[in-house]
Amino acid sequence: MSQVEKKAGLLRRTSSSKKPLKEKVVLMYDEIFAKEDPAKNNPRFWDELFLMKVNLEYLESKLESVDGEEVQRIQDNINSLFHHCVQALGEEHQIKVVNALQVTEAQEDHIDSHRQVTVLNSGRVYSCHGFFLFLSQDLMERLDSLLCGDGSESLKSLCLKLLLCLVTVTDNISQNTILEYVMINSIFEAILQILSEVSSRGQHGYDAVVLLALLVNYRKYESVNPYIVKLSIVDDEPTLDGMGMVVHQALTEYNRQYKDKEEENQGGFFSTLTSMVGSMFIADADEKLSVQTNEAILLALYEAVHLNRNFITVLAQVRNMTFSLCACVLTFTPKTPEGKTDPPFTHICVGATFLQHLHPPQMSLVNLHRMPMRHRKKAADKNIPSRPLVCAVLDLMVEFIVTHMMKEFPMDLYLRCVQIIHKLLCYQKKCRIRLHYTWRELWSALINLLKFLLSNETTLLAKHNIFYLALLVVNLFNMFITYGDTFLPTSNSYDELYYEIVRMHQVLDNLYCMVLRVSTNTGQWKEAASKVTHALVNVRAIINHFNPKIESYAAVNHISQLSEEQVLEVVRSNYDTLTLKLQDGLDQFERYSEQPKEAAFFKELVRSISLNVRKNVSLNTLSQDVLLKEFSTIS
């Protein structure tokens, strides 16, 4: 080999062995994670650090790689980094503030791993988390100042996202000790300011509402939460309207995406195949759609309605807001530890304050999504008449009843739906509100529900007490029979009720035979079935009174099958001889109370929201070029 070739080979080996040069900010991160104080030989170290573009990927990888002993070794440097981040948030130089926010987020995102204590040989338990807590008061004050100030909208967005990161550091937010400082140094007023201003609401409203919903649920069952107290007394109309608009817009967008997805799935075999294959790769988008909108926004809506009586007026002004919820909302069922399921919307509907705002005669247009089913044609697009909002609630309950009779029977949701209907009837009876509604659709849905319970008795009884649900359904009919004269719109409505009971008598007869059989045998369901037997007394009296008269009328007039009008005529002519028993307590119901009955559900719901917020929120969304352009525009 010639000398030239040898030199060339050596040169190639030397070149290939060189490592790529690290950018300066990466070298500075390395200094922080070394044992020596990075500012020892460079007094301007921290000033220079926050002027440089953050490399979140590298910083987060360094934080993730640190174990307990290493944290102890570099504890002072990590504490100093957080300390200087908080200081930088008060700088006039906006780039420093942005970089400090991103670095702070990276640290807070890994607090949970740093907080994992390590028992040292001396027996002392070590954690660097305490220093973060020590500085959290200053951090909250700086964030509050940035949110309320005249800074850029991008900066405010980063502040909100950092706060969301802080709140969701732990899966269970009630175990997040950082939130003690958020409670003491309230950012509540800053959130309200965002919601009250049109421009800031449009850009930050969603994050602000989600943040508020999470903060309200911090230790709500264990101690006094100042955010609950403050939210309950808000009476500023622009703020409440702003919150309502954020919820409305989020739900409207959800419905739009849901409708687009449904139309796409109805595009034939090729479209269905494409959608199926595509969903394998974009599941995150679908998850974001269902999780972030349904969980967080519905929880925010629930808390606003549940805690603040003044917020009810928003529902009167933005009438489509609550009911831009479509039937698919009721299919969202987060599970509690006990396996129970329930959407937040059903909790909204059971409050007494909410009920009185559903019935005013002011009309509202509400389009309800109806699931496509084999046994019914797809409803044609048509102009829906204006009706009180309570009609939309009843439509939603009926829609759920007829579309969820499935093998995996959602018993909790059926119970909730029937209870909502019952409370609506009790309110109408109490206030003598004669609602013009197609009650026959409700009666038919309820009887078909009983038919489903009968057809699947063995399977359902292995998991559920179907007799309790049957009792609630039968007592709805008893409400109509006993008190219908106080809330049914016309006497013809009473006739139609009796007609429907007689028309579907076979289902009701079969129900009586089933509960009689179970109640006369020893077994687990004896007492529950017995209650249904007693509840059926008036329904059976109606069937046994009118059926013979209908058959007699048909025989006398030589008619093989009577028309509906002929049956109604028989009913009208024989009321006088019908004897019914007065049943007590039909218009009584258990008042809604979140604690303790619903606490498990909401704890699990908040945990789910926390997990998904932490998964999706990111401060690494804006380049420095964009921020510099925005800052120069402001200045």
Side-chain angles (χ1 to χ4, degrees), residues 197-266:
E197 297 175 357
V198 176
S199 59
S200 63
R201 179 172 70 234
Q203 297 185 60
H204 317 303
Y206 182 91
D207 285 344
V209 166
V210 172
L211 178 62
L212 181 59
L214 289 170
L215 292 174
V216 164
N217 281 274
Y218 174 69
R219 296 184 179 177
K220 68 189 300 188
Y221 306 118
E222 305 163 22
S223 59
V224 177
N225 181 324
Y227 284 79
I228 292 178
V229 177
K230 290 183 178 183
L231 179 58
S232 67
I233 61 175
V234 173
D235 59 0
D236 179 65
E237 188 173 338
T239 301
L240 295 174
D241 287 347
M243 187 182 300
M245 290 305 301
V246 171
V247 174
H248 169 61
Q249 289 166 3
L251 294 176
T252 299
E253 175 60 18
Y254 172 79
N255 283 348
R256 185 193 65 76
Q257 294 183 43
Y258 184 90
K259 184 177 180 181
D260 290 347
K261 186 177 179 181
E262 183 187 50
E263 291 175 352
E264 178 186 336
N265 291 338
Q266 293 175 355

Side-chain angles (χ1 to χ4, degrees), residues 454 457-458 461 465-467 510-533:
L454 287 168
E457 173 191 351
T458 304
L461 276 178
N465 178 4
I466 63 173
F467 299 106
N510 291 342
L511 175 64
Y512 179 77
C513 292
M514 188 263 276
V515 295
L516 184 63
R517 166 175 51 83
V518 176
S519 64
T520 53
N521 295 325
T522 57
Q524 178 184 1
W525 308 113
K526 178 181 176 67
E527 183 178 352
S530 180
K531 291 180 180 179
V532 183
T533 305

Side-chain angles (χ1 to χ4, degrees), residues 62 64 72 80 128 139 164 177 215 231 240 266 281 318 351 505 550 579 587 595 602 622 633:
K62 295 290 288 186
E64 287 175 357
Q72 180 194 9
S80 187
C128 74
L139 176 62
L164 287 170
T177 49
L215 292 174
L231 179 58
L240 295 174
Q266 293 175 355
F281 303 98
V318 191
H505 73 89
I550 292 171
T579 303
D587 58 346
Q595 171 76 347
F602 282 103
L622 290 173
T633 302

Side-chain angles (χ1 to χ4, degrees), residues 38 53 86 171 205 272 286 355 364 387 400 424 441 465 467 476 502 520 554 572 574 579 611 628 631:
K53 183 179 179 180
V86 175
D171 295 350
T272 303
D286 292 337
L355 294 178
S364 178
R387 304 176 299 169
F400 176 80
L424 290 174
E441 291 185 6
N465 178 4
F467 299 106
L476 284 184
V502 171
T520 53
R572 295 187 190 102
N574 290 279
T579 303
L611 285 168
L628 283 171
F631 297 152

Side-chain angles (χ1 to χ4, degrees), residues 462-481:
K463 297 180 180 180
H464 309 292
N465 178 4
I466 63 173
F467 299 106
Y468 181 56
L469 178 57
L471 177 65
L472 295 180
V473 172
V474 171
N475 278 337
L476 284 184
F477 281 100
N478 286 329
M479 274 288 294
F480 282 103
I481 294 168

